[in-house]
Amino acid sequence: MQPSNLLRIESLDDGWRDKDCVLLHACFQLLKDCVEKENLFIGHTDWNADEKHQKVKVELEALYSWWLKRLEIEEQCGLNEQQYEEDDRMLHKLIEVRWALWT
């Protein structure tokens, strides 16, 4: 992934987006890239090393799955206040497990 200082956010088009939206999409693009392009779940991490790693793998898998479904919802139905609140909760969860996003 060169250059490593650029992030292509696949879920956003070239149109204007408020930064709260860009922040959400950028963070989950990083997770998506880590899973799909850097093979997070089959890379260097021993996910069975201990309970902490086992739990974080489950959490990362859930976040990744949620994001893929979340994109479908936005495309089909748009967003509302309830979705915005769920986005915030999931973004917090991603931040809490960011220590595990290395390959």
Side-chain angles (χ1 to χ4, degrees), residues 14-64:
D14 291 338
W16 174 257
R17 295 290 182 117
D18 290 322
K19 298 309 175 227
D20 61 329
C21 178
V22 175
L23 175 67
L24 176 75
H25 283 256
C27 290
F28 278 94
Q29 183 66 53
L30 290 167
L31 173 63
K32 190 172 184 286
D33 287 352
C34 201
V35 169
E36 295 177 2
K37 296 178 182 176
E38 297 181 39
N39 301 312
L40 176 66
F41 299 126
I42 57 172
H44 301 291
T45 303
D46 180 1
W47 298 107
N48 294 313
D50 55 33
E51 188 176 343
K52 180 180 178 181
H53 282 81
Q54 292 168 7
K55 285 183 178 181
V56 78
K57 183 182 182 208
V58 170
E59 185 70 20
L60 287 167
E61 289 171 332
L63 287 165
Y64 174 72

